[in-house]
Structures are given as structure tokens and as C-alpha cells.
Amino acid sequence: MTLCRCILPVIALCASTSLWAQTTSSAADPLAPTGRWSAYQVGSAQLPPMGWNSWNAFFTEIDEEKLLGSAKRILDTGLAKKGYRFINIDDGWWLKRRTSDHKLIIRADNFPSAHAGKGDPSFRPLTEKLHAMGFKAGIYSDLGRNSCSQAYSDGPAQLPEGSVAEREVGLYGHSDQDIRLFFADWGFDAIKVDGCGIRAFAADSERVRNGQFRALPPLIDQHSITRSDIPAVKSLFADINQSLAKYNPDGDYMLSLCIWGSANVRSWGKDVGSISRTSDDISPDWGRMLTNYDSAVRRALYAHPGSWNDPDMLFIGKGDFDANHLTEAKSHFALWAMMNAPLLIGSDLRTTPQPLLDIFGNAELIALNQDAAGNQATVAFDSDGFQILVKTLANGDKAVALFNRGLSAVDAMLTADHLKFRADRPVALSDLWTGGKSNFTKEVKLRVEPRQTLVFRAKGDRLLTDGLYLSEQPGVVNPAVDGVVQPEPDPTIYRSIPGWRGTRGIGERPMYAGWGGAMADATPYNQALVVAGRTFASGVGILANSRLEVRNKGFARFTASVGVDDSALDGDQPVRFFLYGDGKALASTPPLRRGAPAHPLEADVKGVAILELVARADGVTDNAVPVTWGDAALRR
């Protein structure tokens, strides 16, 4: 069996449903304006990280030759100049934790440079070599006592050795000591933190029962929010962040959260780390790629400069994404670029053929991913088999991807409306795969072959001539409080056959919480935005008892038409809408109910840095109430 980490279910009996309430009641009134931006913005991920990670190619069988060989190939092929700068060591680097002083010891036989100085083996010579090559260096650890490979490996992998205590190489109980070692002593610039150690070592697990490992009551259950101790998980990451700040006074570091969409991390990960995994591990299968893609694609409002959605590393180079499947490989890369996902190559670059290197090196697609505006693409057309994604770029252009998920060709109509451009003026398209140029007015028919993704840069005249709709710039909108009280599995995520389990068990059920989160141009439950029969093609859908933070970059006015969405089940629940600027009240509405016409909400916001959009439900409701910020826009 091929080793994969972060992948098998665990039964955790450690928390109750009340734990979710504890995470949302940290402040007396979470809807009160703060006048500040609360999403993660420390560290060095103002743009999505790009680079290489050892796991997909080598699993735990990593060594210095493989790592430096891939780094050298990134230099020699010109990929480094295109932005690939992180070289990340994943699981498999450690030998043991010394019990006398609890220091981690490197598997130095695999990393000869670690012997360069006196004393214990050190990664400092390796990180200095990578720095001299122009790279950042990343390392791997786990929230628990033990790592994912220790939980799930069935073969002779490079696992920690020694006694039970010596094989406890994770951060649990040693977080500050290990972060100091990684960053202050060894010179790393990034850390990926897995979560198998707080998931897979329950007292009744086989490897604990047979004496291999000590029990650690699970804090997360990937399949159940109610069996996950969310406050405890967030506390562990808070300790890591405190140590990262202490040992990186220049703020130049990157924290990757890898708890695979569990514990509702897709809601709060944006506040805790530079990148946050939204799903279980990817594998080199088309269906699995769809699962990981779906876990992030409708989460545009949860990604911002400094904190990005992470549907896992690129698996281009194997299986359905090898050199014999260039259509699929191009789609994989294009979708990750459009979603502002980290572009972390997972192949053995020493042997990667040129056609795949050309995909990694597509400068036009890299530019979309690295665009300074930081807007993740939003879904402009949605169906099971075909989607259109659109993102607004810093220079005002739009990027558009037409994605055929299925096995039959699609004759797709791309319209000016999809791009929020005027239908009576020409739209110029530049094909980012072929370089071809074309124009259309109103709409154009495009043939999209099975599993193909067409990607264009588009220029046209905007529908909104004096500003931007909020849904066009999700990178400046943060759902600080999204109104979700009872997290539900998201039914829109494609359920694939996991490559590591096949058809054993009962199959993959909806598992990733996130249904009901804030959406661009749709309600939280993925319906059209409609208030009293009036449909809004642009806007933000969110649940009542929510607070959106909006960064204002030079705009003078805010305008919107607000109301309770027609999709609300509770027609009697009143909702009031408030607009704040830098913590001060700017505008509000009377109580509005379902069926009431959309109410205008406008204010002068010149000089205001942070706007806050609050929808407050009066009284107590048992039903989540979707509300619509219709045509919400910042205008000059």
C-alpha cells in the first residue's frame, strides 16, 4: 500500500456540540464594530506561496540529494525567476527526540550537510545553501506527539526510531522549543503543521493498543464537527503563532495549516495561518482533484492577501496528470492559479518532462495567481459538469476560466454579463494557453473539450463605471463573523473514491463543514440573490448575525440595496442592517423582513480605511436567515 498522510478516518469521542458555541462567543458582542481587519496578515504570504514540496514525489523517503536536485532544476529551468521560491521538506526528516533535553535529532545519514559543524546535526548548512540559491526553506511538523506517517504507514518508511518517548517528534508539549529550533537555530522560513497527532492516536487505536505509541485523546474528527474540540485546536495554533512571532522578529515566515477541512477550519483558518488546507489529501486522480477543488472554489470571501485557501499541492507529474494527460494537467494548474491556491510543485523535478515544466512555467497563468489584488476567482456559472470562473485583476482586467469537468465536449456561451462588462461594447480576449487573440460583443460560443479548461484575460467596459462591486474584489472582504451557528457539511463538494481506501467501507459522505458560509453573487446556500422578487446579479450573500470587514482603498462612496433574501425559511424574523466606518456608525436600516423591498444603504466613506457591514437579527431565531447585500459596491 502506498503511504499517504492525513487520510484515514478516526473516531474521536472528545467534545460536545457546545464546543462550537464556545468558539463564537469570545467577545461579548461579536457583531460590534472593531475598526480593524481581523484576517491573518502576519508572515510573508501577501501573495500565494510558490515552490516545491517533497511529499507527493517521495513521501517520507526524502534526502538531501533529492531535495537539492529539485531545487537546482527549479533554477536551471527558469522556474525560480517565475516565482517558485519555497523548497519544503515534508515528513520523513527526523530520527528521534532525545529524551535528555527533548531536542529533535535529524536523520543525518540522509542529510550529509547536517554533519558540517560540531555538536548535534543541524539543518543550518542546508538552509544556508538554499538561501544562497535564492530560495526560502520550509520544514514539517505535527500538532500532536506523533506524525501522520507514524499513524498510517504500513511499510518500511523513514519513521522516527527508538523508544516510545524518542519517537514522539511532534510539537505537542514542545511547541516553543521546536519552533525556536526550526527558525532561530536552523534558519527555516516556513512550517507546515499537520494534525494526525491529534486525530489518530486514540486509546483504542491499534497502534496505541499494541504499544507502539502513547494515547492522546483526539481533538479532531474529520467526519464530525460535534466530535471536534475546536477551541483546543485553535489554542494549539495560537501557541505556534506566538512562538513564530518571537523567533522571527522580522516577520518573514509562513505558516501552513494542514488539518484537511476538519474542525470547521475552512471558517477560521483565514484568521490563524498563511495558508489553510480546505480538504483531505489530493492524489493523482481526476476525481480526487475535483474534490479538493470543490472544497475551495466557493470560498472566495475566505481568502485574502496573507491568508489563502489551500486545496493541497499540485499533483502534476503522476497518474491522471502525467505527460500523457496534458489536458488534465493544464486544468489542474489553471484552476489552482484562478483560485489563488499555493502553487507548490509535488513532482520529482529531476525527471519531470519538458511539457509539464512548460505548464509549471506558464507566465500568464502564474501572473493570475500572483496578481497583487489578491482576488480569488468567483463562480459566474455553476453546474455539475461545467463552470465559469471569473477574477478581477489589479489593472482592471478580468481573468476567466471555462472548466469542463465531464467526459463530453461543451459548446459554452461566455457572456459579457459573466464578466460584469457591458453587453453592447466589444470584449477582447487573450488565450493564456495559446496566445491567440479574439473579440466578441454580448456573447461568444466556445468549444470546451472533456476535462479541458480554457483561460483568457479579458478587457472590456465595466457595467459599474465608477467603482467595483464587492463581489468583484473578494480579497478586500472578510467575513469576520459569518452567522453560521450550526456548521453543516457542504453538499456541493464532489465525493470521489479515495485512492488510499478504494471502495472499502461505506464511501465518502459529505464531510467538510462550510455550507452556509458567505458567498459572492449567491446566497450562503448557493441560490440566486433575490429580495422581494428583485434579483441581484452582484452582491454578497451571508447569514444574519454577521459582520463583514471591507478594506477601502481610495473609494469615496459605499452603496447597496439590502434585505432578507427570499430564500429565508423564516418570514417573520426581522433583520437590521448597519454600516460602520473605522468603528463609527455611518448608516442603518429599520427592521426588515422577508418580502420587504430591498432598502438602500449608502454612505460617504472617503478617508475610511475599514468598513464593517453588519446584519443583526433581533431576538432569537431557530432558523438561519440568509440576507443579501445587493449590488454592494465601493465607488469613486
Side-chain angles (χ1 to χ4, degrees):
M1 173 178 150
T2 301
L3 170 65
C4 287
R5 57 176 173 63
C6 315
I7 51 180
L8 298 181
V10 61
I11 298 175
L13 302 173
C14 62
S16 69
T17 55
S18 64
L19 288 170
W20 173 252
Q22 295 175 30
T23 69
T24 58
S25 59
S26 58
D29 181 5
L31 305 185
T34 67
R36 64 182 182 87
W37 179 263
S38 62
Y40 198 84
Q41 51 188 334
V42 297
S44 58
Q46 288 303 111
L47 296 174
M50 297 175 62
W52 178 87
N53 182 287
S54 61
W55 180 258
N56 288 351
F58 304 117
F59 301 114
T60 58
E61 305 294 333
I62 181 61
D63 59 42
E64 190 164 344
E65 180 183 1
K66 293 171 181 175
L67 183 141
L68 289 177
S70 289
K72 186 175 185 301
R73 194 84 194 279
I74 290 176
L75 279 179
D76 293 345
T77 58
L79 290 176
K81 292 181 179 179
K82 294 183 177 181
Y84 291 92
R85 63 181 187 138
F86 283 95
I87 303 296
N88 297 334
I89 305 171
D90 213 285
D91 203 350
W93 62 265
W94 30 38
L95 180 66
K96 64 180 181 179
R97 185 182 294 279
R98 191 163 56 206
T99 55
S100 60
D101 60 1
H102 307 296
K103 183 179 179 180
L104 290 168
I105 304 300
I106 301 166
R107 189 177 290 274
D109 288 347
N110 293 57
F111 296 92
S113 68
H115 288 298
K118 296 180 179 179
D120 292 330
S122 171
F123 269 133
R124 174 65 73 168
L126 177 60
T127 61
E128 288 182 347
K129 185 176 294 187
L130 290 172
H131 292 157
M133 296 168 73
F135 293 114
K136 300 281 189 181
I139 198 166
Y140 168 94
S141 192
D142 194 286
L143 282 174
R145 295 191 188 108
N146 300 100
S147 72
C148 287
S149 59
Q150 290 175 298
Y152 300 124
S153 172
D154 286 334
Q158 288 178 191
L159 302 181
E161 300 174 4
S163 66
V164 170
E166 288 174 320
R167 287 184 282 112
E168 292 181 348
V169 293
L171 292 170
Y172 196 86
H174 305 284
S175 180
D176 189 73
Q177 177 185 10
D178 289 356
I179 296 297
R180 177 176 181 172
L181 178 69
F182 299 154
F183 289 86
D185 296 348
W186 288 349
F188 281 97
D189 310 286
I191 185 169
K192 173 182 173 181
V193 180
D194 235 327
C196 296
I198 58 169
R199 162 188 174 184
F201 296 92
D204 61 349
S205 66
E206 181 180 353
R207 299 185 187 204
V208 171
R209 286 190 286 106
N210 67 20
Q212 286 181 271
F213 305 104
R214 274 201 295 166
L216 183 65
L219 299 178
I220 54 178
D221 181 338
Q222 192 168 356
H223 299 270
S224 172
I225 290 293
T226 61
R227 295 197 297 265
S228 294
D229 190 336
I230 299 171
V233 177
K234 294 177 73 173
S235 178
L236 292 176
F237 279 116
D239 290 343
I240 291 169
N241 267 308
Q242 184 176 22
S243 296
L244 285 170
K246 183 194 307 184
Y247 301 118
N248 294 275
D250 60 357
D252 188 9
Y253 60 89
M254 194 269 286
L255 171 60
S256 169
L257 279 60
C258 183
I259 57 171
W260 343 276
S262 65
N264 202 39
V265 70
R266 293 197 303 140
S267 174
W268 53 263
K270 65 182 177 59
D271 306 323
V272 174
S274 308
I275 62 176
S276 177
R277 277 279 291 279
T278 55
S279 63
D280 208 335
D281 281 19
I282 196 169
S283 60
D285 309 288
W286 181 257
R288 195 68 206 171
M289 188 276 287
L290 291 180
T291 297
N292 288 50
Y293 161 80
D294 279 350
S295 73
V297 70
R298 297 176 182 87
R299 308 285 295 182
L301 293 171
Y302 294 80
H304 317 91
S307 57
W308 308 102
N309 289 320
D310 177 16
D312 205 5
M313 295 169 284
L314 295 164
F315 226 127
I316 295 168
K318 287 186 179 180
D320 287 345
F321 309 105
D322 64 12
N324 296 317
H325 299 86
L326 292 180
T327 296
E328 290 83 352
K330 287 180 176 181
S331 285
H332 186 2
F333 190 79
L335 296 171
W336 264 232
M338 289 290 289
M339 290 192 298
N340 288 353
L343 298 181
L344 295 175
I345 297 169
S347 64
D348 182 353
L349 286 174
R350 301 171 304 170
T351 59
T352 299
Q354 190 61 45
L356 297 182
L357 293 174
D358 291 342
I359 294 173
F360 292 136
N362 184 307
E364 296 289 346
L365 286 169
I366 291 171
L368 301 186
N369 179 265
Q370 297 290 291
D371 185 74
N375 296 317
Q376 178 176 319
T378 60
V379 181
F381 176 87
D382 200 7
S383 70
D384 287 343
F386 185 85
Q387 291 170 309
I388 298 175
L389 308 182
V390 176
K391 72 183 300 183
T392 303
L393 304 176
N395 70 348
D397 291 354
K398 296 293 182 82
V400 56
L402 291 83
F403 174 35
N404 185 352
R405 301 167 60 112
L407 298 177
S408 301
V410 174
D411 288 321
M413 301 302 297
L414 174 65
T415 72
D417 287 342
H418 289 138
L419 301 165
K420 300 188 192 301
F421 285 165
R422 285 179 54 173
D424 61 343
R425 302 296 294 272
V427 176
L429 296 179
S430 177
D431 189 317
L432 302 190
W433 287 120
T434 68
K437 311 292 184 182
S438 61
N439 294 274
F440 74 92
T441 301
K442 188 176 180 180
E443 62 186 28
V444 62
K445 181 185 289 187
L446 296 166
R447 181 85 167 179
V448 190
E449 299 299 330
R451 296 186 173 182
Q452 185 180 30
T453 302
L454 303 180
V455 191
F456 302 93
R457 184 179 283 256
K459 295 179 181 290
D461 292 338
R462 297 182 177 281
L463 283 174
L464 191 64
T465 59
D466 63 345
L468 288 169
Y469 293 113
L470 293 191
S471 60
E472 293 183 277
Q473 46 182 339
V476 305
V477 182
N478 175 40
V481 182
D482 62 12
V484 176
V485 176
Q486 296 177 331
E488 299 177 61
D490 189 339
T492 64
I493 296 175
Y494 182 79
R495 294 182 293 125
S496 56
I497 299 174
W500 49 86
R501 191 171 58 240
T503 58
R504 299 177 186 88
I506 62 172
E508 190 168 75
R509 306 303 169 94
M511 56 192 280
Y512 303 117
W515 190 230
M519 295 270 280
D521 295 338
T523 73
Y525 300 111
N526 208 23
Q527 301 294 312
L529 299 172
V530 184
V531 178
R534 177 184 173 187
T535 299
F536 292 92
S538 298
V540 174
I542 195 167
L543 297 179
N545 288 327
S546 57
R547 179 170 58 86
L548 293 163
E549 299 166 352
V550 180
R551 281 175 160 162
N552 178 28
K553 299 181 178 180
F555 291 97
R557 288 190 303 136
F558 173 85
T559 62
S561 296
V562 302
V564 176
D565 196 87
D566 285 2
S567 64
L569 296 177
D570 188 345
D572 296 325
Q573 177 63 50
V575 179
R576 292 177 295 158
F577 295 79
F578 301 86
L579 177 66
Y580 299 92
D582 292 337
K584 299 178 181 179
L586 299 178
S588 63
T589 71
L592 302 174
R593 290 176 172 80
R594 190 188 66 196
H599 195 286
L601 191 66
E602 303 184 9
D604 182 346
V605 298
K606 189 175 182 179
V608 171
I610 299 292
L611 297 172
E612 290 172 270
L613 285 55
V614 174
R616 187 183 291 272
D618 297 319
V620 178
T621 178
D622 292 329
N623 294 312
V625 179
V627 300
T628 290
W629 294 84
D631 288 340
L634 288 169
R635 312 177 84 142
R636 296 181 179 86

